[in-house]
Amino acid sequence: MNTPSDEKAEPPQGGSDASSRTMALWFASMPALFVVFWSTGFIAGKLGLASAAPFTILLFRFVIVVVLLTIVALVMRAPWPRRQDLLTIAIGGIFVHAGYLGATFAAISVGVEAGVSSLMAGLQPLLTAVLAAPLLGERTTGRQWAGLLIGLAGTGLVVWNKLGLGLGTPLGMFFAFMSAVFITGGTLWQKKFGGQMDLRTGSVVQFAASALVTLPLAAMEDFRHTWTPELIISLAWLCVMLSVGTVTLLFILIRRGAAATVASLFFLVPPTTALMAYFLFHETLGPPAFVGMALVVIAVAMVTWKSK
């Protein structure tokens, strides 16, 4: 027989179960949301670079995000990092923000197409898998290695037609390659040292450090910019949806999964970017691109699948 206290306890349990299902659904959707929003960064970046120099727009972006996140942290009374942890947190942010974004924007600004820049993101999972073993002690299986290689091949097919159109200068391709190096370093650093960082206040430190690194580079550009509707729209999207929302998703995914597994999601960025460019800029997608997309999906499944 149930007691009155037992009967009163049932609704909270039902509510708890519903809350657990909601959280499980939210976590399950995180990878897809991350890929879509991360891919928009190449489109929004290209839009903004028509009205501002690369490091100038990044400086504006970092300063705006620092202000936004500081307000959020103060309102939510989030704990601030200890003084001895500031340098460690800042280094991770410099890799992910100043390094990766700076190299990407610099590549696009000297003629490398957004699609070709996104192709370089396909190198990041391979670099992460190679370095995760010695640095993090993570084991990469044969199936995962095969998936990583298939994903790289699929990524190349997706933007194959772009390679002859938007390679730009050797300097531009160097910048594009360095973007993969920086995001790889940032992913590994965040996985190893950023697990205890509060995502609100820690991100303030990381974006502030990135702004300090970017400031002299923007000064070398004479802070060149013109306030156009395109620049304002680009900054609004890059600051709120990318720097706050999507980067937070990335760090949550890094905490919840192995570095190589999270990195495999970057294989989905080039085909997603190509699809966006198709609808926004009417760029043609040939049969090789669709084959490449299928290979990328297979590759991500091979890398992320976990046997029970």
Side-chain angles (χ1 to χ4, degrees), residues 11-93:
Q13 285 182 336
S16 177
D17 291 341
S19 177
S20 298
R21 287 194 296 269
T22 301
M23 289 300 296
L25 180 61
W26 164 240
F27 284 127
S29 65
M30 278 186 178
L33 291 174
F34 168 77
V35 170
V36 171
F37 285 117
W38 191 273
S39 299
T40 64
F42 295 96
I43 305 298
K46 183 176 181 178
L47 182 67
L49 286 171
S51 304
F55 293 105
T56 299
I57 191 174
L58 282 179
L59 178 62
F60 291 164
R61 174 179 177 177
F62 295 154
V63 171
I64 292 171
V65 173
V66 167
V67 173
L68 292 176
L69 287 178
T70 299
I71 294 173
V72 170
L74 292 176
V75 170
M76 300 183 70
R77 298 183 179 180
W80 290 88
R82 299 175 302 174
R83 181 177 300 178
Q84 58 265 38
D85 296 331
L86 291 177
L87 180 60
T88 300
I89 293 173
I91 290 174

Side-chain angles (χ1 to χ4, degrees), residues 21-244:
R21 287 194 296 269
T22 301
M23 289 300 296
L25 180 61
W26 164 240
F27 284 127
S29 65
M30 278 186 178
L33 291 174
F34 168 77
V35 170
V36 171
F37 285 117
W38 191 273
S39 299
T40 64
F42 295 96
I43 305 298
K46 183 176 181 178
L47 182 67
L49 286 171
S51 304
F55 293 105
T56 299
I57 191 174
L58 282 179
L59 178 62
F60 291 164
R61 174 179 177 177
F62 295 154
V63 171
I64 292 171
V65 173
V66 167
V67 173
L68 292 176
L69 287 178
T70 299
I71 294 173
V72 170
L74 292 176
V75 170
M76 300 183 70
R77 298 183 179 180
W80 290 88
R82 299 175 302 174
R83 181 177 300 178
Q84 58 265 38
D85 296 331
L86 291 177
L87 180 60
T88 300
I89 293 173
I91 290 174
I94 290 171
F95 272 115
V96 173
H97 306 308
Y100 167 69
L101 294 175
T104 299
F105 278 39
I108 295 175
S109 70
V110 296
V112 178
E113 289 189 347
V116 178
S117 294
S118 69
L119 170 64
M120 287 303 180
L123 297 175
Q124 194 254 353
L126 284 176
L127 294 175
T128 301
V130 169
L131 297 176
L135 295 180
L136 302 179
E138 295 181 2
R139 178 175 174 268
T140 304
T141 66
R143 184 196 70 224
Q144 288 177 315
W145 277 114
L148 289 167
L149 293 174
I150 291 173
L152 185 60
T155 300
L157 285 174
V158 168
V159 293
W160 183 260
N161 62 323
K162 296 179 181 291
L163 294 178
L165 300 174
L167 286 178
T169 65
L171 178 62
M173 287 307 298
F174 171 75
F175 284 143
F177 173 75
M178 288 305 298
S179 70
V181 173
F182 280 122
I183 191 63
T184 299
T187 299
L188 294 172
W189 186 274
Q190 196 69 22
K191 180 67 177 179
K192 189 173 182 66
F193 300 110
Q196 302 302 316
M197 180 189 86
D198 185 277
L199 293 178
R200 297 157 295 184
T201 54
S203 293
V204 172
V205 174
Q206 292 188 329
F207 280 107
S210 298
L212 291 175
V213 171
T214 308
L215 177 60
L217 298 173
M220 293 173 62
E221 300 171 336
D222 295 325
F223 304 103
R224 178 173 53 83
H225 70 282
T226 302
W227 288 112
T228 62
E230 291 79 9
L231 178 58
I232 295 172
I233 293 172
S234 173
L235 277 173
W237 186 266
L238 291 172
C239 290
V240 178
M241 299 305 299
L242 270 296
S243 292
V244 177

